[in-house]
């Protein structure tokens, strides 16, 4: 672009925002305390703008002062244009430009020199409804030519930071910016002012996912707040109960109900399963009814092909009523919740034509009965005060934390299985009063398994979380950190892991910590031992040495102390094994005391009670050498890391079968 064109765009940005603000006087006209809209000239474009996020609500906010948009079902994406070059950034800051080349090309055709835009990339079905499943298919095939970028915000433009301006002003500027684009790839996200209830009911009748309500006079601010609210449509369906799956962990009765429907040809088809919405009494009562209806074979060939293995089958006589978000492309319920059995209908009446979809009723959807205000349910675990904010910097709530653990459960549960826990609880969030808990009390949910251990004062009951309901019960208890023993059942007196904790003085450069972990790795390799490394989510790194469970706690502690002292003796100016603060000044403290009975270390994938909800994360040694820090990952970024990594950094740790060298044990006088 020529300099004159840049100046034209700068003028456009300032004029559009200010003129739009002048036109917005009909909203909150009388408020003397409303934020003053402004566009600020800045020196440089930020590399990444953390997106503004939505808080979930049950219904749209009433009255004027709000604008309402359709909630799209796609990938949230920020577009950064610098020097005419376009970068598409996910909500976690990852570069997705190569995944959507047509979108990037369309943005380049705008001819902008510098800008940051916010929107959602979607795949629109022929009926105009966005389909996340279709977008996923596009990505898996490597063909995203059908992708459309629905733009709803303008944050920076040609040297102006617009984030402090009113939302309705920013949207009018964005609408003008997109007015001449005619290729259909870039589209302005339309909205209406006020009338949220009418807009929401219309969206639900059209089988959309829901709506987003935004304060018209609010600036753009990263994280969740009450300025942006999402309200989802809740569809209902009645389906035949065709079987069940076994319960996991301490759950009783069954894991999930398996569901089906008769198609237009009278063939029973599989519709997925539902595992939430049950209390313990309901699980037991339903299991008794299922047992009476049990049969050996699945009810149809179509069911046999689609249903999970090791399922148990029943005669299709019971009818379940469910609340859910949508039907998937392959005929499954998405996010179903069990509401109850319909005693007034027979299973044979459950007929659905997948080609026609399931239309929502013309009347506004009625709220589901049940849960008290502020409660939520995930995997059968009820969360009270689910909207309690635990990490205020990012607006992360108790429900958000539970969803994080649900998402990473396949990774964290193997780390917790069979290991006694020490828990750091912070019911009011990490800024409130936090306290440690080791032992079981009567108030601890029954989903957590108890185990009796002998200690000096007698028998003591510890807790173990080796199933998803137990993990989510920790969230219900307000647990912010999960620490585990270095031994697991059935050999709790013989550790299977040694943990070396590198705790640096606060003034040390991070490179010193990385070098320390690599140095210990070298020492362990000298004696033929393979080790792994973990970012703690706090200040340092843990080097983890898996072993056959053969030595006692005392023997393991003796070995750990010897290795730590060897490293400190080789580099006395860099390391210390002393707990004294004076000795630790300017050095890295190698904490070997985590390797004594009842001592614990932070579990991989556990959150920490620190700002922004950092997460303890397994690392590869290449990442350590590259300088990845201990607090590099959070609940917001861990999911994307797991999706993108080609190989688990701790792949095979459970299969490592190694023992300490006999010569070393003799030298240390360890038996």
């Amino acid at each position: 672009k020529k300099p004159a064109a840049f100046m034209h765009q700068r003028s456009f940005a300032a004029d559009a925002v200010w003129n739009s603000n002048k036109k917005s006087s009909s909203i909150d006209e009388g408020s003397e305390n409303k934020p003053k809209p402004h566009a600020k000239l800045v020196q440089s474009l930020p590399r990444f703008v953390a997106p503004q996020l939505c808080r979930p609500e049950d219904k749209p906010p009433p009255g004027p002062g709000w604008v309402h948009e359709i909630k799209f079902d796609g990938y949230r994406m920020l577009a950064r244009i610098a020097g005419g070059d376009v970068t598409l950034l996910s909500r976690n800051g990852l570069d997705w430009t190569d995944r959507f080349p047509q979108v990037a090309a369309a943005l380049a055709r705008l001819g902008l020199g510098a800008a940051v835009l916010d929107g959602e990339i979607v795949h629109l079905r022929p009926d105009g409804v966005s389909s996340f499943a279709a977008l996923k298919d596009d990505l898996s095939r490597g063909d995203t030519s059908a992708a459309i970028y629905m733009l709803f915000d303008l944050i920076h433009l040609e040297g102006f930071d617009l984030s402090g301006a009113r939302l309705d002003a920013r949207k009018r500027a964005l609408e003008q910016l997109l007015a001449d684009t005619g290729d259909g790839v870039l589209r302005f996200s339309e909205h209406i002012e006020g009338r949220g209830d009418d807009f929401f009911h219309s969206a639900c009748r059209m089988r959309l996912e829901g709506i987003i309500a935004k304060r018209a006079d609010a600036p753009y601010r990263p994280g969740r707040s009450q300025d942006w609210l999402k309200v989802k449509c809740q569809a209902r369906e009645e389906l035949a109960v065709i079987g069940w799956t076994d319960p996991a962990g301490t759950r009783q009765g069954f894991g999930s109900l398996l569901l089906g429907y008769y198609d237009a040809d009278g063939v029973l088809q599989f519709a997925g399963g539902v595992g939430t919405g049950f209390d313990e009494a309901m699980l037991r009562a339903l299991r008794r009814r299922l047992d009476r209806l049990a049969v050996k074979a699945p009810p149809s060939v179509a069911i046999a092909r689609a249903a999970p293995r090791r399922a148990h089958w029943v005669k299709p006589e019971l009818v379940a009523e469910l609340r859910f978000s949508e039907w998937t492309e392959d005929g499954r319920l998405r996010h179903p919740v069990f509401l109850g059995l319909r005693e007034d209908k027979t299973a044979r009446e459950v007929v659905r034509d997948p080609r026609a979809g399931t239309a929502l009723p013309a009347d506004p959807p009625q709220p589901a009965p049940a849960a008290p205000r502020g409660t939520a349910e995930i995997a059968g675990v009820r969360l009270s005060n689910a909207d309690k904010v635990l990490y205020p910097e990012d607006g992360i709530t108790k429900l958000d934390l539970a969803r994080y653990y649900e998402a990473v459960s396949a990774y964290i549960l193997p780390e917790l299985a069979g290991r006694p826990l020490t828990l750091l609880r912070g019911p009011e969030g990490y800024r409130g009063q936090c306290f440690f808990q080791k032992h079981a009390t009567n108030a601890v949910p029954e989903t957590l398994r108890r185990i009796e251990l002998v200690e000096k004062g007698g028998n003591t009951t510890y807790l173990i979380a080796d199933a998803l309901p137990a993990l989510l019960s920790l969230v219900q208890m307000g647990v912010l950190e999960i620490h585990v023993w270095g031994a697991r059942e059935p050999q709790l007196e013989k550790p299977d892991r040694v943990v070396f904790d590198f705790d640096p003085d606060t003034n040390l450069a991070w490179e010193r910590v990385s070098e320390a972990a690599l140095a210990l790795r070298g020492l362990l390799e000298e004696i033929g031992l393979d080790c792994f490394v973990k970012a703690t989510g706090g200040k340092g790194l843990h080097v983890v040495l898996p072993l056959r469970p053969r030595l006692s706690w005392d023997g393991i502690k003796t070995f750990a102390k010897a290795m730590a002292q060897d490293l400190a003796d080789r580099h006395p100016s860099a390391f210390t094994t002393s707990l004294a603060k004076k000795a630790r000044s300017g050095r890295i403290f190698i904490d070997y005391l985590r390797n004594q009975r009842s001592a614990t270390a932070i579990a991989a994938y556990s959150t920490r009670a620190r700002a922004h909800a950092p997460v303890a994360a397994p690392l590869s040694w290449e990442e350590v050498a590259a300088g990845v820090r201990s607090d590099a990952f959070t609940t917001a970024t861990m999911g994307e890391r797991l999706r993108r990594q080609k190989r688990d950094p701790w792949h095979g740790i459970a299969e490592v079968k190694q023992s300490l060298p006999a010569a070393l044990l003799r030298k240390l006088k360890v038996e």
Side-chain angles (χ1 to χ4, degrees):
K1 297 284 289 183
K2 296 180 180 179
F6 277 108
M7 294 306 298
H8 170 74
Q9 292 292 352
R10 284 191 173 191
S11 175
F12 162 79
D15 290 345
V17 171
W18 283 109
N19 290 337
S20 295
N21 275 296
K22 292 175 182 177
K23 296 174 184 177
S24 301
S25 59
S26 62
I27 300 179
D28 288 345
E29 180 72 32
S31 174
E32 297 181 357
N33 299 318
K34 64 184 178 183
K36 298 297 186 290
H38 65 281
K40 182 172 62 177
L41 185 65
V42 292
Q43 296 298 318
S44 61
L45 192 70
R47 296 194 64 83
F48 176 66
V49 177
Q52 183 156 347
L53 304 174
C54 301
R55 284 189 180 277
E57 288 290 345
D58 294 328
K59 58 184 179 180
W66 294 86
V67 299
H68 304 280
E69 303 169 355
I70 291 172
K71 185 182 186 304
F72 299 108
D73 196 9
Y75 280 112
R76 180 75 175 276
M77 203 68 58
L78 289 110
R80 182 180 188 270
I81 304 174
D85 293 328
V86 176
T87 305
L88 294 173
L89 297 166
S90 73
R91 61 185 291 171
N92 299 323
L94 298 174
D95 188 343
W96 281 36
T97 313
D98 290 340
R99 300 189 182 194
F100 300 102
Q102 287 86 355
V103 172
L107 288 163
R109 288 193 292 273
L110 291 175
L112 302 176
V116 177
L117 305 94
D118 194 0
E120 187 134 349
I121 293 182
V122 300
H123 178 123
L124 296 182
R125 300 196 310 246
D127 61 359
V129 177
S130 58
S131 170
F132 184 72
L135 186 59
K136 291 280 286 183
D137 284 344
D138 293 346
L139 287 166
S140 66
R141 291 185 291 104
D143 178 10
T144 57
S145 57
I148 294 170
Y149 195 15
M150 303 298 300
L151 289 152
F152 47 70
D153 220 319
L154 180 62
I155 309 168
H156 284 260
L157 184 62
E158 304 298 359
F160 284 90
D161 176 1
L162 310 183
S163 62
R166 299 170 59 107
L167 168 69
D168 51 7
R170 300 194 310 271
K171 290 207 67 174
R172 288 191 180 102
L174 175 63
E175 186 175 16
Q176 292 181 38
L177 184 67
L178 300 175
D180 295 329
T181 61
D183 55 10
V185 178
L186 307 180
R187 301 188 189 181
F188 176 70
S189 177
E190 301 282 353
H191 63 268
I192 67 165
E193 296 180 4
R195 297 184 291 122
D197 282 337
D198 293 340
F199 187 66
F200 174 65
H201 295 148
S202 295
C204 293
R205 283 195 296 271
M206 295 172 64
R207 294 187 285 122
L208 302 177
E209 188 179 5
I211 69 169
I212 304 293
K214 301 177 180 179
R215 287 200 60 87
D217 63 352
Y220 189 100
R221 292 293 180 260
R224 300 184 195 279
S225 73
Q226 292 297 328
D227 291 336
W228 285 20
L229 308 174
K230 59 182 176 183
V231 189
K232 287 190 174 184
C233 299
Q234 295 291 328
R236 291 200 181 200
E237 188 67 281
E238 294 152 7
L239 292 171
V241 177
I242 60 173
W244 79 90
T245 61
D246 289 324
T250 58
R251 180 162 171 154
Q252 302 296 312
F254 55 87
S256 297
L257 288 181
L258 301 180
L259 306 167
Y261 60 86
Y262 289 92
D263 64 18
D265 298 322
V267 178
L268 196 58
Q269 302 287 344
F270 185 61
V274 57
T276 59
F278 311 95
D279 58 29
E280 290 187 11
M282 195 182 303
L283 287 168
R284 290 192 294 268
L286 275 173
R287 179 55 189 271
R288 288 193 293 269
R289 296 188 68 171
L290 294 171
D291 285 340
R292 291 195 293 269
L293 296 171
V295 294
K296 292 183 179 180
S300 74
V301 174
I303 296 290
R305 290 172 178 167
R309 295 180 179 179
R310 291 189 288 275
H312 305 276
W313 307 107
V314 297
K315 297 176 184 177
E317 294 184 5
L318 303 178
V319 175
E321 184 176 10
L322 307 115
R323 186 175 71 246
F324 65 106
S325 59
E326 66 173 352
W327 283 97
T328 66
E329 296 292 330
D330 57 350
R332 308 286 191 273
L333 292 185
R334 190 175 183 188
H335 306 141
V337 177
F338 180 81
L339 299 178
L341 292 178
R342 292 295 302 262
E343 304 294 349
D344 58 336
K345 291 196 173 183
T346 66
R348 199 59 189 83
E349 295 177 75
V350 179
V351 178
R352 174 179 180 264
D353 183 352
R355 295 164 294 183
T358 301
L360 290 180
D363 295 330
Q366 298 300 312
R373 183 176 176 82
T375 67
E377 188 174 284
I378 297 181
V381 175
R382 175 155 293 186
L383 303 175
S384 60
N385 299 315
D387 53 357
K388 169 75 71 176
V389 176
L390 303 178
Y391 295 89
E393 295 86 358
D394 303 287
I396 297 172
T397 65
K398 192 174 180 179
L399 179 58
D400 293 329
L401 188 59
R403 286 173 173 159
Y404 161 75
Y405 278 121
E406 182 183 35
V408 302
S409 59
Y411 294 86
I412 190 174
L413 287 174
E415 291 297 305
L416 304 181
R419 298 185 187 275
L421 305 177
T422 293
L423 308 170
L424 180 63
R425 298 177 62 184
E428 299 302 315
Y430 85 93
R431 288 183 178 177
Q433 182 180 5
C434 296
F435 55 93
F436 280 100
Q437 178 174 343
K438 284 188 175 184
H439 305 137
T441 65
N442 291 334
V444 172
E446 292 300 320
T447 50
L448 286 151
R449 189 157 58 85
R450 274 72 165 166
I451 183 171
E452 294 289 327
L453 296 177
V454 177
E455 295 189 337
K456 292 181 180 179
N459 287 0
T460 305
T461 304
Y462 278 82
L463 298 168
I464 291 178
D466 42 18
L468 179 57
L471 179 62
L472 297 177
S473 292
L474 297 179
V475 179
Q476 168 60 13
M477 292 169 60
V479 172
L480 302 182
E481 295 186 3
I482 306 171
H483 299 253
V484 292
W485 277 36
R488 72 167 78 230
E489 293 178 308
Q491 302 193 65
L492 290 172
E493 302 306 325
K494 295 183 178 180
D496 65 343
R497 287 186 182 178
V498 184
V499 176
F500 299 91
D501 180 5
F502 289 90
D503 186 2
D505 183 29
T506 55
N507 296 321
L508 288 179
W510 179 254
E511 291 77 9
R512 295 275 299 276
V513 184
S514 301
E515 292 167 357
L518 291 166
L520 178 59
R521 183 195 187 195
L523 288 183
L524 293 171
E525 286 181 339
E526 287 178 12
I527 57 177
L529 296 173
D530 191 14
C531 61
F532 298 77
V533 65
K534 173 178 61 185
T536 64
K539 292 195 302 177
L541 295 174
H542 284 175
V543 174
V544 180
L545 176 68
L547 292 173
R548 294 178 185 270
R550 291 179 174 175
L551 299 177
S552 67
W553 283 104
D554 288 341
I556 289 294
K557 180 182 175 182
T558 299
F559 162 73
K561 181 179 180 180
M563 292 301 298
Q565 193 60 55
D566 186 6
L567 194 58
D569 291 343
R570 295 189 189 205
H571 309 280
S573 64
F575 304 112
T576 181
T577 60
S578 173
L579 282 167
K581 288 186 177 180
K582 184 177 180 180
R584 298 168 65 173
S585 179
R587 295 181 174 88
I588 295 173
F589 171 51
I590 309 174
D591 185 358
Y592 63 87
L593 297 173
R594 296 187 181 278
N595 302 289
Q596 56 190 0
R597 193 180 189 277
S598 79
T600 56
I602 191 70
Y605 305 103
S606 169
T607 54
R608 302 304 303 266
R610 295 169 177 263
H612 305 297
V615 173
L619 299 177
S620 68
W621 285 108
E622 290 76 15
E623 288 177 311
V624 174
V628 174
R629 297 180 62 88
S630 61
D631 57 354
F633 306 105
T634 68
T635 57
T637 63
M638 179 54 72
E640 185 63 23
R641 169 176 170 80
L642 295 175
R643 286 189 292 272
R644 289 176 65 87
Q645 67 185 16
K646 296 180 180 179
R647 182 182 175 90
D648 183 353
W650 280 17
H651 175 75
I653 190 172
E655 286 72 47
V656 174
K657 307 299 181 185
Q658 59 187 6
S659 301
L660 299 182
L664 177 61
L665 295 178
R666 287 194 296 270
K667 180 180 178 181
L668 298 176
K669 298 181 180 180
V670 172
E671 298 180 357

